[in-house]
Amino acid sequence: DDEAYVWESSAGGSFTIRPDTDGEVTRGTKIVMQLKEDQTEYCEEKRIKEVVKKHSQFIGYPIHLQCQKERDKEVSDDEAEAEAEDKKEEEGDDEKPKVEDVDEDDDDEEKKGDKKKKKTIKEKYTEDEELNKTKPLWTRNPDDITTEEYGEFYKSLTNDWEDHLAVKHF
């Protein structure tokens, strides 16, 4: 029912808004940015989080960032070798997964001779992380808000470096 629109700008002070003909995004917002070569710092996850926190801290809508993370996964020797071979086929010989032996007592190994040895590998996965977890001040109970939070809100809203003089929250 709703129409989607594309907002485009070259950061030159002007922009255009036109109906979306691709239909790629049906609901929500998709942001695509082309950066200059000397501005690659804005591609880093840490920098994106800083910018979103600074400019969208008190927005009532959730902002998510798709992050790539690693976790340790414990697998048997056979599985680790199979996964390593799969990754070699997919990625070539460039990157091998880090395989580490899990420390076990030698006595336990002798007792459990038939038990397979375990290895720990680094597994990569993607996760949506919500960046603006702070709810807007005006939607929260005034008794739950600290003076520092009022000060942060005042400074982000007014770009003033001095503290606010008074607070009226109803």
Side-chain angles (χ1 to χ4, degrees), residues 8-63:
E8 293 179 1
S9 174
S10 299
S14 63
F15 59 90
T16 59
I17 298 176
R18 61 178 172 78
D20 183 22
T21 56
D22 298 339
E24 188 176 330
V25 178
T26 56
R27 183 157 179 84
T29 304
K30 177 181 177 182
I31 299 174
V32 179
M33 298 177 8
Q34 284 92 23
L35 301 174
K36 295 180 181 178
E37 289 181 24
D38 61 339
Q39 299 297 317
T40 56
E41 70 178 282
Y42 290 98
C43 291
E44 297 171 8
E45 184 178 315
K46 181 181 176 186
R47 185 69 168 135
I48 293 171
K49 289 179 180 180
E50 287 174 4
V51 170
V52 169
K53 184 174 189 230
K54 180 178 180 183
H55 297 288
S56 305
Q57 187 174 5
F58 301 103
I59 301 290
Y61 300 100
I63 298 174

Side-chain angles (χ1 to χ4, degrees), residues 75-133:
V75 294
S76 68
D77 255 349
D78 300 335
E79 291 177 30
E81 290 173 11
E83 284 187 27
E85 289 175 12
D86 290 345
K87 284 193 177 186
K88 266 188 191 178
E89 291 173 5
E90 291 175 11
E91 301 174 1
D93 293 343
D94 297 346
E95 291 184 31
K96 293 183 180 179
K98 296 178 183 176
V99 179
E100 302 171 4
D101 289 337
V102 176
D103 295 333
E104 292 183 16
D105 295 329
D106 292 335
D107 299 334
D108 290 341
E109 277 188 42
E110 291 172 8
K111 291 177 186 174
K112 302 174 185 175
D114 61 325
K115 187 176 180 183
K116 293 184 180 179
K117 207 172 190 185
K118 298 279 187 181
K119 290 192 175 190
T120 305
I121 63 168
K122 301 272 187 192
E123 180 183 49
K124 291 183 179 180
Y125 66 99
T126 57
E127 178 179 278
D128 275 352
E129 186 176 328
E130 188 173 339
L131 300 182
N132 59 339
K133 295 178 184 173

